[in-house]
């Protein structure tokens, strides 16, 4: 009987220890884990590392080589820019100014998206609401794959009315509606109010290259 009680007591102690370890592990995981839309990648440095699911005005985020300035991933992910005309948020020099994937959503207001390969990449099932923002010298200003039901002309009209897309010789397209991620090719490209057909050397930005 004493042996049986000792064994039972040992099992109960072991179970309690296991539950305690699990509790501590989950507590640390959920307490320290960043559960927001903002991916803290190499793109963010210094004081910008404290940013979570939003950016306030008057800040410049420079993308590291081959990386987006802001990446929002996951169906429950949300990202918002809280800026003003006097103090915009500047996203520049990255693979993407803003990269959305996996059903993520974002709201961009008073943003200057400049000098990226792709200014805004709205992936499948994603949604970006953009207003009072300026796109400058991106190879492709907006790659829009998230909304397949609306008319292309309606999308272009809503973006053009609410934002400023600066055209130049550097810009290959204002809007792109078809993208092949395997070959990294861009089709259904619109620029200056019309559809353009790009040469094979210009309808890719080299993302299929392993160095990216």
């Amino acid at each position: 009987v004493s042996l049986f009680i000792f064994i039972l007591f040992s099992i109960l102690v072991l179970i309690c220890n296991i539950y305690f370890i699990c509790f501590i592990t989950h507590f640390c995981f959920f307490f320290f884990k960043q559960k927001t839309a903002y991916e803290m990648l190499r793109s963010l440095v210094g004081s910008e590392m404290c940013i979570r699911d939003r950016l306030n005005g008057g800040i410049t985020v420079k993308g590291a080589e081959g990386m987006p300035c802001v990446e929002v991933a996951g169906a429950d992910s949300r990202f918002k820019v809280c800026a003003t005309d006097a103090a915009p948020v500047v996203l520049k020099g990255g693979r993407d100014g803003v990269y959305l994937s996996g059903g993520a959503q974002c709201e961009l207001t008073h943003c200057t998206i400049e000098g990226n390969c792709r200014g805004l990449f709205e992936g499948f099932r994603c949604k970006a609401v953009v207003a009072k923002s300026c796109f400058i010298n991106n190879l492709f200003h907006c790659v829009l794959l998230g909304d397949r039901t609306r008319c292309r002309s309606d999308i272009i009209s809503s973006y053009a009315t609410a934002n400023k897309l600066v055209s130049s010789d550097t810009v290959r397209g204002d809007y792109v509606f078809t993208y092949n991620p395997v070959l990294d090719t861009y089709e259904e490209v619109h620029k200056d109010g019309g559809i353009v057909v790009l040469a094979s050397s210009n309808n890719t930005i080299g993302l299929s290259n392993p160095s990216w």
Side-chain angles (χ1 to χ4, degrees), residues 148-180:
R148 291 285 183 170
T149 60
R150 293 167 55 191
C151 178
R152 301 288 194 254
S153 59
D154 290 342
I155 300 174
I156 292 173
S157 177
S158 65
Y159 268 78
T161 301
N163 304 281
K164 181 179 181 181
L165 281 72
V166 179
S167 184
S168 67
D169 294 338
T170 305
V171 178
R172 301 176 188 177
D174 297 327
Y175 308 94
V176 177
F177 292 102
T178 301
Y179 172 61
N180 185 326

Side-chain angles (χ1 to χ4, degrees), residues 122-141:
E122 180 192 75
F124 296 106
R125 303 187 309 279
C126 297
K127 182 179 180 180
V129 178
V130 188
K132 300 178 181 178
S133 295
C134 186
F135 294 79
I136 305 172
N137 286 338
N138 305 289
L139 295 183
F140 296 101
H141 282 324

Side-chain angles (χ1 to χ4, degrees), residues 9-136:
F9 179 79
S10 299
I11 293 174
L12 289 175
V13 171
L14 179 61
I15 293 173
C16 289
N17 287 334
I18 292 174
Y19 272 104
F20 179 76
I21 292 172
C22 291
F23 172 80
I24 293 299
T25 302
H26 282 77
F27 176 81
C28 292
F29 178 80
F30 285 105
F31 183 80
F32 292 106
K33 181 177 181 292
Q34 177 187 317
K35 300 182 289 297
T36 62
Y38 205 19
E39 294 290 303
M40 311 314 299
L41 300 173
R42 288 188 297 148
S43 311
L44 299 176
V45 295
S47 61
E48 297 163 3
M49 293 300 290
C50 64
I51 300 165
R52 291 298 182 262
D53 58 353
R54 66 180 58 208
L55 279 176
N56 294 319
I59 190 173
T60 296
V61 180
K62 295 182 179 180
E65 182 179 358
M67 303 291 285
C69 299
V70 174
E71 180 173 359
V72 192
D76 296 326
S77 297
R78 304 289 185 272
F79 179 78
K80 186 175 183 178
V81 167
C82 304
T84 64
D85 188 37
V89 166
V90 180
L91 308 173
K92 63 186 301 184
R95 185 194 72 196
D96 307 275
V98 178
Y99 181 86
L100 304 179
S101 64
Q105 298 184 26
C106 75
E107 295 180 31
L108 307 176
T109 307
H110 295 296
C111 280
T112 298
I113 303 176
E114 178 181 0
N116 304 282
C117 294
R118 303 177 298 202
L120 168 65
F121 186 93
E122 180 192 75
F124 296 106
R125 303 187 309 279
C126 297
K127 182 179 180 180
V129 178
V130 188
K132 300 178 181 178
S133 295
C134 186
F135 294 79
I136 305 172

